[in-house]
Amino acid sequence: MAIIRAARPEDAAALTELAKAAYSVYVERMAGTEPAPMHDDYPALVALGQVWVAEHEAAVVGMLVLKLKPDHVQLNNLAVSPARQGTGLGKQLLDFTDAYARERGRSEVRLYTNEAMTENLAYYPRHGFRETHRGVENGYHRVYFAKDLRGVRS
């Protein structure tokens, strides 16, 4: 199990590297376009208090970027180090997200993923999310999901 904690300014470089490692596999599928998380300004997101890291043996092995909205939590990024994928870390991060939302009085978590990330299209429904719609935003073909936390236990 990893420890999940709020990101600190000194984590920013590791977050940028994690995003590159986790998302680079999709560049070819997206016709050479880098996924949006590869362009995020992690120092700024950390300063805003929107990033949590999963740490194992003093290394950043996963991250969440969460934005608190009036009626839900927006999960903008969930990334797991390729070496830790398939170990349950993604579920641990999703469970953290659910708890974060509940603690802040939100009963829904929303996210989107790129339609080229076919693994995610199967992964999120297995963890209680339902597809709400599809659309193009900032040139990315996105699939939107929501998870209703009322009556659901992590």
Side-chain angles (χ1 to χ4, degrees):
M1 286 286 274
I3 295 168
I4 300 175
R5 61 167 175 79
R8 299 184 291 254
E10 60 269 22
D11 295 321
L15 295 168
T16 299
E17 289 306 310
L18 175 61
K20 287 179 184 174
Y23 289 100
S24 64
V25 66
Y26 299 112
V27 174
E28 185 177 334
R29 286 191 212 172
M30 294 171 59
T33 300
E34 291 183 337
M38 293 175 75
H39 299 280
D40 283 347
D41 182 346
Y42 291 102
L45 292 170
V46 169
L48 289 171
Q50 295 180 352
V51 185
W52 283 259
V53 299
E55 188 176 67
H56 181 72
E57 297 179 357
V60 173
V61 295
M63 78 164 125
L64 292 166
V65 177
L66 303 175
K67 188 168 184 180
L68 195 60
K69 299 284 193 161
D71 63 343
H72 68 281
V73 168
Q74 179 70 41
L75 171 53
N76 284 341
N77 185 353
L78 185 158
V80 174
S81 166
R84 294 291 306 244
Q85 291 174 6
T87 66
L89 181 56
K91 182 177 182 336
Q92 184 182 354
L93 289 164
L94 285 175
D95 290 347
F96 177 89
T97 301
D98 291 354
Y100 175 88
R102 285 186 179 104
E103 289 166 4
R104 286 152 183 84
R106 305 310 190 271
S107 60
E108 187 176 54
V109 176
R110 297 180 192 171
L111 63 86
Y112 55 83
T113 190
N114 192 285
E115 70 181 15
M117 298 177 184
T118 54
E119 301 88 343
N120 292 345
L121 301 182
Y123 181 80
Y124 289 118
R126 285 197 312 267
H127 294 281
F129 287 85
R130 65 179 168 71
E131 183 178 328
T132 60
H133 63 285
R134 294 178 182 225
V136 178
E137 184 179 5
N138 300 324
Y140 293 101
H141 294 265
R142 293 184 169 159
V143 181
Y144 297 82
F145 290 90
K147 181 178 184 180
D148 186 345
L149 300 175
R150 293 172 290 205
V152 176
R153 298 192 60 142
S154 293

